[in-house]
Amino acid sequence: MIGKETFHTVSYVFLWLFLAFSPFSISLSQIFAGCSLFFLFAHQIKKKEMPKFPNALLFWIGLYISFLIFPLIEYQQIQWKKDIVKSEFGDLWMGFLLLHQISLTNIQKKKLQKAVLLGAIFLILSGIVSSIFPYRLAPYVMDGFRYVEGKRLPHLLTNSNGISVYLPIGFQSTHLTYGGLLALYLPSLWEKTYRLWKHSKSRFLFWKMGLVSLLVSGLGFFLLVLNQSRSIWIGFFFAGFLVLQKRKGSIRNVLPRLVAFIFFILAIFILFYHTNWIFQRAIDDLFAKRSLENQRIWIHKMNFSILKEHFLLGIGAGNYGEQFTNVAIPIVKEFPALYYDLFITPKSHAHFDFLHDVLMGGMFAFCFYLGFLFFVTKQLDQTKDKFLFFLGIFVILVAGSFQCYLLDDEVLLPFMGLLALLPTKYNLVQKKKQKSQIPMSKFLVWKPVGNVSFSFVFLVLWLSLSLTTTYLWSRTEPGDLILHRTRTKDNFPSPFSQMSIGATKPVPLPANTKEWYFKLSGCLDKEVNFRTNAVVRKKPIQLKLAWDSKLREHLPNSIQVEIRKRESFDQDKEYKVHSERVLKTISLPITGKDHLVTVDPSDMKQEAPEFVDFGFWYEWESNTPYLPRIQINGNCE
């Protein structure tokens, strides 16, 4: 016979499994979360009680309902698959995990925090394995523990003494998703470590556990740095300031440790910056307009174009991709070289959680989102000495200004799981201080101004700053985002070669360099726009190699140019790597005049658009070599 609390207990068990195993599989975590909700509803039905809805959940429901206003008005009816099942609205059910806030007891919430801690350990272990494993873990396991030829390999970070280290992503498909999970799970481990080392008595009794916890925490931090999710770094940076602001006591007690921590972080960043090209690119791209990751700039250009037309009611759930394309078509028509970059840009989200929701639901979504933040931050402030454990919630809310983490099921589900563990009541009676100064180990809650918490004000100011910044980015001219990139023979960036593209004078190379090779990305061999068929382009693909007579004795004595072809599908979506091949190699005569390299696209009969790239092989007799200047415009004309 089923007891009174049987369904509730089963719901609790599935919630525990969900929190512990979310880092492994999104499908498995969805099953556990769904079963947890199913038995929670069964428990309420058996008791003949209506579920109690937390305020944050009510605003979450209102947010998602606002996504249906435009489709209802525009089409006079809701399309079941397009507007609900296969759109942002389909994630509404995950918010119902917040029902556990009221159904769980404080003891159960405390036990569930151990599941989060276990999940953090699983996440770190999978990250370590993925950082040294030559294949991506998720597809490797799904394909029967074997590598299928052509599937995308992990990004190589470094190779030292025969040991290859890759970008850690665990069992996730992208490093951003893994970074989001690190943000949610790592604070639980850090909080555990902090508590084990907080008092001298704890250090003495549990020193073995404390050392292990400290080691694993350090590995987690190391993976966070290697993962290179810059949005998560920024989220932790501002969350760290919030932690400091929530403590009281003399600034003199805080400052030495803060300065030491900042120097430690800077030392790690400087070390990686000077020893790893991927890390260097990750930092440089933060400050560069013409970079490998310009997608975020021009996607915001289209975001604000859409917002300008639909700021009141939004565009409705499931319509972002179509509206993106509508704005992109005239841009590609004017700048054909931008087609591929815009084509491979994910058109399912706005790369900004808050902005995406406002685009979906207009001003209604704006109000509901702020209401959701208001109650979530209010509950965060009630966690008191457990604020560090829930720090990942705040990190995701900050990092959401750079990515759509709340549209990523792998991140959204555990995010809601952490929210479910937040307290629902706040004891306003505070103990009087026994000392004039509170030690660093004591977390204190900010005294709210009225009913508004400092965390909420902080987030609103952050969102305002982020929106202003992205708007200024969106004003960048499309032509300024076109960049023909240079690569080494192993497809790594070639900085010296890049300097020669569009340069005003030849580029000096290190002394005694006798040979130099690099690839130069060209343009598509077809004319194509969104919603159009690809046709062979009429204008030839060409570039000019400039010959500066004043430095003739330092310029190459031998020049060979490869005409290369490279596939142009979406390698992230197809989960493959681009194949390349050399069509022909030509030797340029050293005539003392500029060289025009021309390729006729009509000679290439394949149906799918491909890139026509170039390879340059230079040889010198001079001991002070210079790279010739290469002139190439956006569309290689």
Side-chain angles (χ1 to χ4, degrees):
M1 185 175 181
I2 299 176
K4 292 183 179 180
E5 299 298 324
T6 300
F7 287 144
H8 184 271
T9 302
V10 175
S11 174
Y12 163 80
V13 171
F14 275 115
L15 184 61
W16 194 98
L17 293 173
F18 155 68
L19 291 170
F21 291 100
S22 284
F24 278 119
S25 169
I26 178 59
S27 300
L28 195 62
S29 64
Q30 286 178 335
I31 292 174
F32 287 149
C35 289
S36 178
L37 288 176
F38 173 81
F39 286 103
L40 177 62
F41 291 137
H43 174 71
Q44 297 292 337
I45 293 173
K46 182 176 176 59
K47 293 182 64 177
K48 297 180 180 180
E49 293 180 356
M50 289 292 295
K52 297 179 181 179
F53 285 70
N55 290 327
L57 176 56
L58 293 176
F59 278 90
W60 180 261
I61 295 173
L63 174 67
Y64 275 72
I65 290 177
S66 70
F67 298 169
L68 301 180
I69 295 177
F70 178 80
L72 186 62
I73 294 176
E74 184 73 10
Y75 311 121
Q76 303 301 317
Q77 62 180 357
I78 298 296
Q79 301 179 37
W80 177 256
K81 288 186 177 181
K82 176 179 178 295
D83 299 327
I84 295 182
V85 178
K86 296 183 178 181
S87 73
E88 294 85 353
F89 189 84
D91 292 337
L92 171 63
W93 73 272
M94 300 182 192
F96 284 96
L97 286 171
L98 296 181
L99 290 173
H100 287 295
Q101 280 187 357
I102 297 176
S103 68
L104 295 171
T105 64
N106 290 334
I107 295 178
Q108 288 175 326
K109 289 182 179 180
K110 190 173 182 179
K111 291 180 179 178
L112 287 170
Q113 291 176 8
K114 295 181 180 179
V116 178
L117 183 63
L118 182 61
I121 296 174
F122 287 160
L123 189 67
I124 292 173
L125 291 177
S126 65
I128 294 173
V129 173
S130 68
S131 66
I132 59 177
F133 196 65
Y135 309 122
R136 293 183 178 235
L137 289 179
Y140 182 80
V141 173
M142 292 179 64
D143 291 330
F145 295 93
R146 62 189 180 91
Y147 171 68
V148 177
E149 189 68 28
K151 288 215 169 179
R152 201 175 182 197
L153 297 172
H155 292 292
L156 180 66
L157 283 176
T158 186
N159 193 310
S160 178
N161 298 323
I163 300 176
S164 298
V165 179
Y166 304 93
L167 197 71
I169 60 174
F171 279 92
Q172 310 310 310
S173 58
T174 69
H175 78 288
L176 293 173
T177 296
Y178 185 73
L181 289 175
L182 285 175
L184 292 172
Y185 278 90
L186 278 186
S188 66
L189 185 59
W190 294 344
E191 190 259 354
K192 178 68 173 179
T193 303
Y194 180 73
R195 287 185 177 277
L196 286 172
W197 290 88
K198 185 166 92 168
H199 300 299
S200 57
K201 184 178 180 180
S202 299
R203 290 195 296 270
F204 178 77
L205 293 176
F206 307 106
W207 66 271
K208 293 183 179 179
M209 186 183 299
L211 286 176
V212 172
S213 181
L214 184 63
L215 174 62
V216 178
S217 295
L219 288 174
F221 178 80
F222 185 67
L223 288 173
L224 184 66
V225 175
L226 287 184
N227 176 252
Q228 300 187 21
S229 295
R230 292 166 296 182
S231 55
I232 298 299
W233 293 348
I234 295 173
F236 270 113
F237 178 79
F238 285 104
F241 274 101
L242 189 65
V243 170
L244 292 176
Q245 289 293 335
K246 286 183 176 294
R247 300 180 181 185
K248 292 186 178 181
S250 173
I251 188 65
R252 289 177 296 180
N253 292 342
V254 178
L255 192 58
R257 299 185 185 184
L258 177 61
V259 172
F261 180 74
I262 291 176
F263 272 99
F264 174 70
I265 297 297
L266 287 177
I268 291 179
F269 272 68
I270 292 173
L271 176 64
F272 276 93
Y273 184 84
H274 287 287
T275 58
N276 184 262
W277 72 267
I278 292 184
F279 192 87
Q280 186 179 60
R281 188 191 73 186
I283 300 299
D284 291 344
D285 284 347
L286 288 173
F287 308 100
K289 285 186 176 181
R290 296 163 62 88
S291 73
L292 189 60
E293 299 187 8
N294 281 327
Q295 293 173 340
R296 189 172 289 105
I297 298 177
W298 55 59
I299 199 175
H300 282 310
K301 179 182 290 291
M302 282 166 273
N303 287 341
F304 284 99
S305 297
I306 297 171
L307 185 63
K308 183 179 179 181
E309 298 294 328
H310 302 277
F311 71 94
L312 184 59
L313 299 178
I315 60 177
N319 292 323
Y320 181 83
E322 181 180 355
Q323 293 293 335
F324 179 104
T325 302
N326 290 340
V327 178
I329 287 175
I331 295 178
V332 174
K333 187 176 182 180
E334 184 178 0
F335 300 97
L338 287 179
Y339 169 72
Y340 178 72
D341 289 325
L342 291 174
F343 171 75
I344 65 173
T345 298
K347 290 172 280 296
S348 59
H349 57 87
H351 289 80
F352 192 146
D353 280 323
F354 176 70
L355 182 56
H356 184 90
D357 289 339
V358 173
L359 287 172
M360 294 298 103
M363 295 305 297
F364 292 96
F366 175 86
C367 297
F368 283 120
Y369 191 95
L370 291 183
F372 176 75
L373 289 185
F374 175 82
F375 287 104
V376 167
T377 53
K378 188 175 182 180
Q379 289 178 291
L380 278 172
D381 281 346
Q382 295 170 6
T383 56
K384 299 197 295 184
D385 60 337
K386 276 288 184 179
F387 182 81
L388 180 59
F389 181 92
F390 295 100
L391 190 66
I393 296 172
F394 191 85
V395 173
I396 292 297
L397 292 176
V398 172
S401 295
F402 305 94
Q403 300 290 339
C404 282
Y405 285 107
L406 298 186
L407 292 180
D408 187 348
D409 292 357
E410 289 91 336
V411 177
L412 178 59
L413 265 174
F415 175 83
M416 288 298 174
L418 275 185
L419 289 182
L421 304 184
L422 287 173
T424 54
K425 293 182 181 180
Y426 177 54
N427 183 11
L428 295 176
V429 179
Q430 298 183 3
K431 296 181 179 180
K432 294 183 178 180
K433 300 177 183 178
Q434 300 296 326
K435 300 179 181 180
S436 59
Q437 294 182 358
I438 304 299
M440 285 288 292
S441 60
K442 186 66 177 177
F443 286 91
L444 295 178
V445 179
W446 265 85
K447 293 181 180 179
V449 180
N451 290 323
V452 181
S453 69
F454 176 83
S455 301
F456 176 73
V457 175
F458 187 96
L459 278 177
V460 171
L461 292 175
W462 170 255
L463 288 175
S464 301
L465 177 63
S466 301
L467 287 170
T468 302
T469 303
T470 52
Y471 174 72
L472 294 175
W473 280 352
S474 72
R475 295 172 62 87
T476 304
E477 294 298 326
D480 292 336
L481 301 175
I482 300 173
L483 179 63
H484 294 279
R485 303 178 181 94
T486 60
R487 300 170 290 148
T488 66
K489 64 178 181 179
D490 297 317
N491 290 330
F492 292 108
S494 181
F496 279 110
S497 306
Q498 192 68 55
M499 294 170 61
S500 70
I501 310 304
T504 56
K505 57 183 180 180
V507 177
L509 288 175
N512 296 319
T513 299
K514 297 299 182 180
E515 296 180 345
W516 192 267
Y517 176 83
F518 66 92
K519 305 173 188 176
L520 174 64
S521 63
C523 289
L524 292 174
D525 60 358
K526 302 282 194 302
E527 292 180 356
V528 60
N529 202 336
F530 296 93
R531 306 191 185 115
T532 66
N533 295 324
V535 297
V536 178
R537 56 181 285 173
K538 299 177 181 178
K539 295 182 179 180
I541 296 174
Q542 60 185 15
L543 57 80
K544 181 184 292 186
L545 194 149
W547 198 262
D548 295 88
S549 57
K550 292 182 180 180
L551 293 172
R552 181 171 181 174
E553 66 273 14
H554 301 291
L555 295 175
N557 300 97
S558 173
I559 302 176
Q560 289 186 331
V561 180
E562 296 173 340
I563 308 300
R564 307 178 61 90
K565 292 299 292 288
R566 175 166 50 97
E567 290 180 333
S568 63
F569 57 79
D570 187 346
Q571 63 175 343
D572 289 321
K573 185 176 181 180
E574 298 291 337
Y575 215 60
K576 298 179 180 178
V577 293
H578 287 176
S579 65
E580 300 181 57
R581 62 190 185 278
V582 178
L583 297 182
K584 63 178 180 179
T585 301
I586 57 177
S587 296
L588 299 183
I590 307 300
T591 61
K593 297 181 180 179
D594 295 346
H595 297 281
L596 185 66
V597 181
T598 303
V599 180
D600 188 354
S602 62
D603 295 338
M604 306 164 190
K605 302 298 183 181
Q606 84 290 339
E607 295 182 2
E610 289 186 322
F611 285 106
V612 176
D613 292 343
F614 302 91
F616 291 88
W617 184 273
Y618 299 139
E619 293 181 348
W620 289 268
E621 294 180 358
S622 171
N623 293 326
T624 54
Y626 279 70
L627 284 176
R629 297 182 294 120
I630 295 179
Q631 298 174 358
I632 181 172
N633 66 8
N635 201 33
C636 304
E637 297 174 352

